[in-house]
Amino acid sequence: AVWCKISLVIFLRHLQNFIDLAFKPLIDYTPAFDTGEFYPSKIMNDHEIENGPKNSGGGYRGNMTIREAVGRSVNTIAWQVLQQIGVNNGLNYLGEMQFQKISPVDNDVAALSIGGFTNGLRVVDMVKGYQTLANYGEYTSQTCIMDIKNSSGESVYSNKPEKKQVYEKDSAYMMTDVLKGVINQPYGTGRGMA
């Protein structure tokens, strides 16, 4: 039973790491594409940043496109992008998608670029974010409960999903295309998972 608890703790830590890594498109890159100043082929420089994040493996590769940076899950470039567009600008996108557990302590915290949230994130919020990307930037506040009726068949609760455009359509399309490289490119961190 002890090994089971230890395995669960290890699994949950890995799950949180996955959420942190998978978070970059939602707060860093797609909002950056919305500015018009960033795009998949934009060249960024992967280098050591004083008081900034390290990359997995500790190395730096120099100049690369945003497309490659996403495929490799490069922390330093995600950090630079969020710094340039503004941390609170990235957070505003999450607010538009009704992300929960975001703390006021997180405002202006550059570590959010790589998922460094005070209270972590919920898997359901990540699903909402990726659903929004897949729907060309349109957020829908869906839930499992659509309608509740009393014993007489009258509706006592009805959920009418809210729809709104969070990301620009072109930005969501570009991000979705860029994410394919995570699996399809030789350097992709998810290569071979498809």
Side-chain angles (χ1 to χ4, degrees):
V2 171
W3 69 267
C4 187
K5 288 180 184 176
I6 292 170
S7 294
L8 180 60
V9 168
I10 292 169
F11 169 76
L12 291 174
R13 282 192 187 140
H14 285 297
L15 178 61
Q16 187 60 52
N17 287 340
F18 170 76
I19 289 172
D20 292 348
L21 293 173
F23 190 68
K24 294 172 188 173
L26 303 177
I27 194 171
D28 303 331
Y29 295 113
T30 312
F33 291 166
D34 272 357
T35 69
E37 296 176 26
F38 294 85
Y39 39 89
S41 61
K42 182 176 177 82
I43 302 292
M44 301 287 293
N45 187 270
D46 174 26
H47 62 276
E48 185 172 2
I49 299 171
E50 187 176 341
N51 299 318
K54 305 282 186 242
N55 290 327
S56 177
Y60 304 97
R61 291 186 163 80
N63 289 340
M64 69 175 64
T65 63
I66 286 180
R67 181 179 298 278
E68 183 177 350
V70 171
R72 292 184 184 278
S73 193
V74 177
N75 291 333
T76 61
I77 292 179
W79 180 281
Q80 293 173 64
V81 167
L82 190 60
Q83 288 293 303
Q84 290 179 38
I85 67 166
V87 175
N88 291 341
N89 180 34
L91 278 172
N92 287 338
Y93 283 85
L94 306 185
E96 290 290 317
M97 294 182 285
Q98 301 176 11
F99 271 53
Q100 305 295 311
K101 293 178 67 175
I102 296 175
S103 167
V105 176
D106 293 329
N107 291 339
D108 292 318
V109 176
L112 297 185
S113 65
I114 56 172
F117 286 86
T118 303
N119 298 320
L121 292 172
R122 301 177 320 154
V123 173
V124 70
D125 289 331
M126 293 296 296
V127 170
K128 289 192 293 189
Y130 275 89
Q131 172 193 354
T132 301
L133 286 179
N135 290 323
Y136 297 98
E138 184 180 76
Y139 168 76
T140 305
S141 62
Q142 294 179 335
T143 179
C144 298
I145 302 172
M146 300 304 290
D147 194 50
I148 300 175
K149 296 182 181 187
N150 64 17
S151 59
S152 302
E154 299 166 332
S155 182
V156 294
Y157 171 82
S158 183
N159 180 25
K160 305 242 186 295
E162 168 194 351
K163 290 185 177 189
K164 63 180 163 182
Q165 197 71 33
V166 174
Y167 301 111
E168 296 291 327
K169 288 180 181 181
D170 289 346
S171 299
Y173 177 83
M174 284 189 290
M175 191 72 247
T176 302
D177 184 63
V178 166
L179 284 167
K180 292 175 185 175
V182 173
I183 293 182
N184 297 334
Q185 293 298 321
Y187 54 73
T189 57
R191 178 128 174 104
M193 294 178 82

